[in-house]
Amino acid sequence: MATEDKYDRQLRLWGPHGQKKLMECSMLLIGADGVGTETMKNLVLPGVGKFTILDGKTVSSDDLSNNFFVTPESVGRPRAEVVVETLCEMNEDVTGDFVVDNPKKLLLDDIKRVALLQQFQMVIVANQEQAVVRAVAKTCWDVNIPLMVVRAYGMIGYMRSQVHCHE
């Protein structure tokens, strides 16, 4: 593996086969708020292959207090775009992309949701409305894509995973 020194810690944890799977994985993050971006950061650093962020909001002053991946200079810019730029700076082996669109509008449309989600090997939903979470969860279950739902309420948070088989 060309990046054996760089990923030594991960290689000792999950072995070369696990690192290879991570480096070949394509993930979708729905929601580029503080919780979503911190979750994605923890996948970018060990070398996830590709990721896409779907978020329709622009960076606001509220984001400055809870999202380490935005700066005062980024206020008014699409949050997905800003976060992708910052995350990609953390690991040159990782490729990032973004979709600036309202997740609720896009993901509650059955045809658009299925077409979008089938492009990825894993989906992460961060702090989205329950209608969006349910729709994404149903599609992910139907097409066998692992799903992680993350949410924070102040200092309390949770992570829920949905997979067909966990070994």
Side-chain angles (χ1 to χ4, degrees):
M1 183 173 292
T3 56
E4 197 167 305
D5 290 340
K6 182 175 182 177
Y7 298 117
D8 179 62
R9 194 186 256 175
Q10 290 85 254
L11 289 168
R12 285 183 275 146
L13 180 64
W14 49 61
H17 65 285
Q19 186 65 32
K20 184 175 187 289
K21 285 188 88 159
L22 181 65
M23 293 174 88
E24 293 173 350
C25 187
S26 177
M27 294 188 180
L28 172 67
L29 169 63
I30 302 166
D33 64 356
V35 173
T37 55
E38 283 292 324
T39 303
M40 186 54 68
K41 173 204 71 165
N42 291 326
L43 295 160
V44 167
L45 288 174
V48 68
K50 297 185 291 186
F51 70 94
T52 299
I53 295 179
L54 167 62
D55 190 289
K57 296 183 178 178
T58 58
V59 176
S60 70
S61 58
D62 290 343
D63 290 312
L64 299 175
S65 64
N66 65 19
N67 192 333
F68 292 114
F69 299 93
V70 298
T71 63
E73 295 78 33
S74 58
V75 171
R77 289 183 57 206
R79 192 164 66 175
E81 179 181 13
V82 171
V83 169
V84 166
E85 289 171 1
T86 308
L87 286 172
C88 285
E89 289 174 3
M90 301 180 89
N91 189 338
E92 74 249 2
D93 295 339
V94 175
T95 303
D97 197 8
F98 61 91
V99 176
V100 178
D101 202 347
N102 180 332
K104 183 176 181 180
K105 180 181 167 192
L106 180 66
L107 296 169
L108 292 183
D109 180 306
D110 294 338
I111 294 169
K112 290 179 182 177
R113 181 181 63 251
V114 171
L116 175 68
L117 297 180
Q118 286 183 328
Q119 300 173 50
F120 302 96
Q121 283 93 35
M122 183 173 178
V123 175
I124 302 168
V125 178
N127 286 327
Q128 297 296 308
E129 295 180 29
Q130 286 303 308
V132 172
V133 173
R134 281 192 298 271
V136 170
K138 181 182 180 337
T139 300
C140 285
W141 185 261
D142 291 346
V143 297
N144 196 22
I145 298 170
L147 170 67
M148 182 184 299
V149 178
V150 293
R151 179 170 287 281
Y153 302 98
M155 298 299 287
I156 298 171
Y158 76 83
M159 190 259 337
R160 185 180 82 212
S161 62
Q162 171 184 284
V163 293
H164 277 224
C165 181
H166 183 295
E167 299 174 3

